[in-house]
Amino acid sequence: MPASPPASPAQPLSAPQKALRKLGLVRDIDLALHLPLRYEDETRIVKLRDARDGDAVQIEGEVTHQEITFRPRRQLLVSVHDGSDTVVLRFFNFYPSQQKQMAVGTRIRARGELRGGFAGLTMMHPAVRAAGGALPQALTPVYSTVAQLPQPYLRKAVLAGLAQADLSETVPPEVLTEMGRQRLWGLREALTFLHQPTPGVALTQLQDHSHPAWQRLKAEELLAQQLSQLEARRAREHLRAPVLRAARGGLVEQLLAALPFQLTGAQRRVSEEIARDLGREQPMHRLLQGDVGSGKTVVAALAACAAIDAGWQCALMAPTEILAEQHFAKLVEWLEPMLAPRGQRVAWLTGSQKKKVRGEMLAAVESGAAALVIGTHAVIQAQVRFQKLGLAIIDEQHRFGVEQRLALRQKLSESEREPHLLMMSATPIPRTLAMSYYADLDISTLDELPPGRTPVVTKLVAAHRRDEVIERIRAQTAQGRQVYWVCPLIEESEALDLRNATETHAELSAALSPHAPPLRGSLPPEGAAPVLGRPGDGDKPGVMIGLLHSRMPPAEKKAVMALFTAGDMPVLVSTTVIEVGVDVPNASLMVIEHAERFGLSQLHQLRGRVGRGAAASACVLLYEAPEGGRLGETARARLKAMVETNDGFEIARRDLDIRGPGEFLGARQSGAALLRFADLAEDSALLQWARGAAARMLVEYPALAAQHLARWLGSKSEYMKA
Ligand code: ADP
Ligand code: MG
């Protein structure tokens, strides 16, 4: 065996080398796959006469004039004549060396965007070099980079990487041909072309990624993503989970008999899907998605019953205390009558609970007496030891991070087994996203609302008509209906958020008292209002108006929610803490103030708080354009979507259009960064191919599949498994 080369003494990395590392450009192949963001065309010299306004062009000519002016601000103006016309180059930042480089009489080459105007042709801050010299043969690539890494250095590094990297094909020809393209580009050919496009290629085809060389790279990238997701799924198939089958005459059947309603067809279908998973030895990894109000809780309860029937425990974790509380109330109502005779109970875990209570709960969890454990993040804390955790349910899963999900899965202390995992979400995942980023998940969808709901009517109301809205609240409460008023999100400041809610609370309290004078304009705030304006309180008799915000102590929140839920409090003013899960069927009006500041899915979730009973319900979106201006385009698109549709899936699609996939993926974002070239909206055909190709390659060409993954993901592959 040849002696290995002596280890080179560890040399400190230069700044550009460090920057390469930071960009993840470590291996030759990483560099080869670092594709240009865009291109510049230095291959041609254009006559000014032939160029049009807005063209990015390169011209060559003689400097005929140079001056520095001070109006409107200090700038260098250089006139260049190219034989056909004259252009003025403008520089706001410049050095003496540039003045010298562009001295009158020299011939220069300038490249930039041409502007034609009243005062003649101009170019702002063009790139300038001396005239003459051969023109480059290819378009010049421009790479995404960072300050410490200059383009020329990066270009050289990329070309070196491209020359040295192993670019052998990992996709077998018969898999490639399934893509059904006319002419398929090889990997080496495509990469070489994209880094150094041959002259004459249409710049637009390169820029918009429609060129066949780009198609090949996008297909490769999507294939890597699909392979990694399939791998994660396979890895899970080797894990073991307890088999959870409902007992005949057991809790599942008892709960179904005791429910005050019939399951919808969709609830029955997804419950069967879940029951099938629970009955298998592999851990379930299922996402239950269903629009707000579609009835996910009862599906979760049925799954919990199956686990308990089989002699195991179930944990249900929710992102907020209010939501956990609601689940607790509902599930205690449904399950305790059946659990109590068996000596079992439902336990409650939250960060705010008293030490003694918490101690009791922890003991019940550990002994197994708590068949069902409901709570917030408190459920995954280290002190919580389950006797036998068989099923973990996570509500509003996108609000939890990967680590929290993993922590819950690790609560089954036997090393070889994992609990089944059911995740729930009211934000349906658009199909393309489900197919790509969530390909390692099984998805069940509740696509039907329980009967008897009247669709919520959504209205846009300009903020200056606020008084009319308040009158409407008065009318609703007079009929015994309840109202939510959600205050705007002020991102910069929680304190402002709070002030706003407090002021609105005071305003509504004053306006809705029976002796209040008719409204003229909005009333001035009266300082800090009491949290509860109790009926008969001092000189302010009338409707009780509650205030709920995120900084209130949990006990107070709980008290307010209890009054609202019981119907004693007709109006609830709140910051966005009520966003998820609150279920008060008697509420029939939702007012959202400064609706233009909310995200689309958030608006939809908020709207889902009403329309839960039989009464006709409405959602009023109060909006206000910024001073002197009009609403931004995305804000308008969001509000328009809200008025036009109640369908959560349609909302999700539009949200994806407006925001792009990043936001949807939440905790998965690390994996999302993986798709650098493919665009899910445009490349669904390639995605379809990649799905099939990944499945086939794992079976028929496992070695090539592994090689492909290593090439594309390198050290990133771990992200995808959580
Ligand atoms: P979400 O999917 O938003 O969590 P919930 O589980 O809170 O929805 O259910 C919304 C409301 O609909 C609850 O009051 C629940 O009891 C009720 N509900 C659920 N399923 C049905 C059904 N099949 N028929 C009638 N009402 C139902
Ligand atoms: Mg819910």
Side-chain angles (χ1 to χ4, degrees):
M1 266 185 72
S4 55
S8 61
Q11 286 197 352
L13 292 178
S14 68
Q17 280 170 326
K18 273 193 210 144
L20 281 176
R21 211 129 296 180
K22 212 165 101 203
L23 288 174
L25 304 177
V26 180
R27 308 167 300 166
D28 287 331
I29 188 71
D30 298 331
L31 285 158
L33 294 176
H34 190 64
L35 290 169
L37 273 184
R38 58 188 176 84
Y39 300 88
E40 278 171 4
D41 190 352
E42 296 175 87
T43 62
R44 290 182 306 150
I45 287 175
V46 174
K47 282 285 173 213
L48 284 168
R49 187 197 322 115
D50 302 329
R52 281 169 315 179
D53 186 26
D55 280 358
V57 295
Q58 175 168 249
I59 58 127
E60 186 172 302
E62 184 181 323
V63 177
T64 53
H65 183 75
Q66 187 191 96
E67 71 173 305
I68 294 175
T69 64
F70 291 89
R71 235 165 281 155
R73 52 187 269 213
R74 185 166 180 269
Q75 53 183 305
L76 173 67
L77 301 178
V78 177
S79 305
V80 178
H81 186 70
D82 80 339
S84 73
D85 206 342
T86 297
V87 62
V88 177
L89 316 181
R90 280 172 186 274
F91 301 85
F92 290 115
N93 304 305
F94 54 92
Y95 299 102
S97 61
Q98 283 172 296
Q99 286 170 259
K100 214 186 276 168
Q101 180 192 27
M102 295 180 280
V104 172
T106 32
R107 285 187 65 78
I108 59 168
R109 232 174 241 177
R111 189 162 41 81
E113 196 173 302
L114 196 66
R115 287 280 163 219
F118 181 65
L121 297 170
T122 61
M123 262 189 207
M124 291 279 281
H125 277 258
V128 173
R129 61 163 76 194
L135 289 169
Q137 288 299 297
L139 296 175
T140 310
V142 179
Y143 296 97
S144 83
T145 186
V146 289
Q148 303 79 6
L149 188 59
Q151 281 294 333
Y153 186 101
L154 180 54
R155 253 176 229 152
K156 243 188 245 159
V158 165
L159 287 185
L162 184 64
Q164 282 156 34
D166 166 20
L167 298 179
S168 56
E169 294 284 336
T170 45
V171 191
E174 63 268 38
V175 177
L176 263 186
T177 49
E178 284 171 358
M179 217 186 297
R181 305 257 155 178
Q182 293 285 315
R183 147 140 158 64
L184 284 167
W185 286 52
L187 179 65
R188 175 184 299 279
E189 181 188 16
L191 280 175
T192 310
F193 176 82
L194 291 175
H195 286 296
Q196 297 176 294
T198 42
V201 64
L203 198 55
T204 49
Q205 248 201 344
L206 279 179
Q207 309 279 41
D208 72 6
H209 291 196
S210 66
H211 191 280
W214 271 119
Q215 296 290 317
R216 176 64 209 264
L217 265 298
K218 292 200 274 194
E220 291 261 316
E221 177 179 50
L222 287 165
L223 177 61
Q225 187 203 40
Q226 292 297 307
L227 279 171
S228 84
Q229 302 242 343
L230 270 188
E231 283 246 294
R233 181 184 279 265
R234 299 249 159 132
R236 206 171 46 253
E237 277 165 10
H238 294 293
L239 295 173
R240 287 288 166 265
V243 172
L244 307 176
R245 283 209 191 95
R248 201 170 278 274
L251 295 173
V252 174
E253 288 178 20
Q254 289 174 41
L255 175 58
L256 284 174
L259 283 175
F261 49 75
Q262 297 272 311
L263 293 189
T264 62
Q267 283 170 324
R268 251 196 307 272
R269 175 173 45 76
V270 306
S271 293
E272 274 163 25
E273 288 165 1
I274 292 167
R276 219 174 301 137
D277 283 1
L278 293 178
R280 303 195 325 148
E281 278 198 295
Q282 286 78 38
M284 170 169 76
H285 201 59
R286 188 171 282 278
L287 176 68
L288 169 59
Q289 58 178 17
D291 210 344
V292 275
S294 59
K296 293 184 289 295
T297 317
V298 69
V299 175
L302 288 166
C305 285
I308 300 168
D309 261 349
W312 290 75
Q313 286 169 295
C314 172
L316 169 56
M317 181 162 76
T320 65
E321 194 136 322
I322 289 180
L323 186 54
E325 175 91 24
Q326 291 232 342
H327 283 319
F328 182 68
K330 190 132 250 176
L331 290 167
V332 164
E333 177 194 324
W334 283 343
L335 298 187
E336 285 240 314
M338 295 150 32
L339 289 177
R342 306 159 53 130
Q344 290 179 309
R345 59 178 296 192
V346 183
W348 165 243
L349 282 176
T350 161
S352 69
Q353 83 201 130
K354 294 231 168 63
K355 217 168 169 193
K356 177 156 163 286
V357 180
R358 186 172 172 80
E360 282 168 25
M361 294 293 175
L362 287 176
V365 177
E366 192 157 1
S367 73
L372 174 59
V373 183
I374 298 177
T376 56
H377 297 77
V379 171
I380 49 175
Q381 273 156 13
Q383 315 93 295
V384 186
R385 278 185 294 274
F386 288 84
Q387 194 219 8
K388 287 174 86 177
L389 180 63
L391 170 64
I393 304 176
I394 303 182
D395 198 10
E396 304 296 338
Q397 65 94 19
H398 56 283
R399 298 204 151 199
F400 290 97
V402 174
E403 303 78 32
Q404 289 158 330
R405 235 162 19 221
L406 285 176
L408 193 50
R409 278 160 67 187
Q410 280 153 9
K411 284 285 178 193
L412 176 52
S413 47
E414 297 169 41
S415 55
E416 263 97 76
R417 291 206 274 189
E418 276 203 355
H420 294 279
L421 179 61
L422 177 64
M423 294 172 271
M424 306 200 285
S425 171
T427 308
I429 299 166
R431 211 177 107 77
T432 45
L433 277 189
M435 276 171 54
S436 53
Y437 292 105
Y438 290 85
D440 65 328
L441 274 189
D442 294 306
I443 297 183
S444 291
T445 304
L446 285 175
D447 51 7
E448 182 185 351
L449 292 180
R453 304 261 169 91
T454 21
V456 180
V457 175
T458 302
K459 291 221 168 82
L460 290 182
V461 178
H464 66 261
R465 289 171 56 204
R466 190 182 170 98
D467 287 354
E468 291 167 41
V469 177
I470 294 175
E471 283 312 310
R472 183 153 178 184
I473 293 177
R474 195 199 298 278
Q476 287 288 308
T477 55
Q479 289 174 30
R481 298 266 163 235
Q482 286 171 277
V483 178
Y484 294 101
W485 183 298
V486 177
C487 288
L489 202 70
I490 299 173
E491 282 191 0
E492 314 84 67
S493 152
E494 210 179 327
L496 273 182
D497 241 14
L498 181 55
R499 194 185 74 199
N500 205 306
T502 316
E503 281 172 9
T504 302
H505 177 255
E507 177 192 1
L508 290 179
S509 302
L512 295 175
S513 83
H515 309 304
L519 280 168
R520 277 171 293 104
S522 58
L523 293 164
E526 301 178 359
V531 170
L532 306 179
R534 287 180 196 290
D537 255 9
D539 58 350
K540 252 202 262 170
V543 283
M544 189 179 352
I545 296 180
L547 174 61
L548 200 61
H549 59 79
S550 51
R551 288 199 298 188
M552 263 157 70
E556 218 168 289
K557 277 190 206 168
K558 201 161 142 177
V560 173
M561 265 330 285
L563 283 165
F564 190 71
T565 308
D568 295 335
M569 176 189 283
V571 182
L572 180 61
V573 177
S574 130
T575 54
T576 47
V577 284
I578 60 152
E579 182 188 342
V580 284
V582 180
D583 185 30
V584 180
N586 189 46
S588 60
L589 176 60
M590 161 71 63
V591 180
I592 305 177
E593 204 177 333
H594 275 297
E596 75 281 358
R597 295 189 193 160
F598 291 81
L600 183 50
S601 66
Q602 204 180 11
L603 287 172
H604 180 65
Q605 296 243 344
L606 285 168
R607 175 170 61 183
R609 301 305 115 217
V610 293
R612 303 192 148 223
S617 300
C619 174
V620 171
L621 303 175
L622 277 172
Y623 68 92
E624 195 168 352
E627 209 143 328
R630 44 195 251 129
L631 285 182
E633 198 164 324
T634 51
R636 253 182 301 148
R638 289 195 296 253
L639 296 178
K640 182 159 176 277
M642 283 294 289
V643 173
E644 286 175 357
T645 180
N646 269 308
D647 174 359
F649 278 88
E650 179 59 23
I651 293 273
R653 260 192 301 279
R654 296 210 196 178
D655 206 16
L656 181 62
D657 280 348
I658 296 172
R659 296 193 298 176
E663 308 257 344
F664 264 88
L665 299 165
R668 292 206 160 206
Q669 241 153 2
S670 40
L674 216 59
L675 281 188
R676 290 177 284 162
F677 312 129
D679 174 317
L680 292 178
E682 270 167 32
D683 300 320
S684 56
L686 288 178
L687 175 59
Q688 201 74 45
W689 168 82
R691 263 158 71 89
R696 185 168 171 193
M697 281 182 64
L698 278 184
V699 176
E700 294 177 35
Y701 306 95
L704 287 173
Q707 198 187 336
H708 188 85
L709 265 179
R711 172 179 285 174
W712 275 89
L713 301 190
S715 53
K716 280 183 242 147
S717 58
E718 283 305 307
Y719 280 133
M720 304 297 293
K721 299 216 172 108

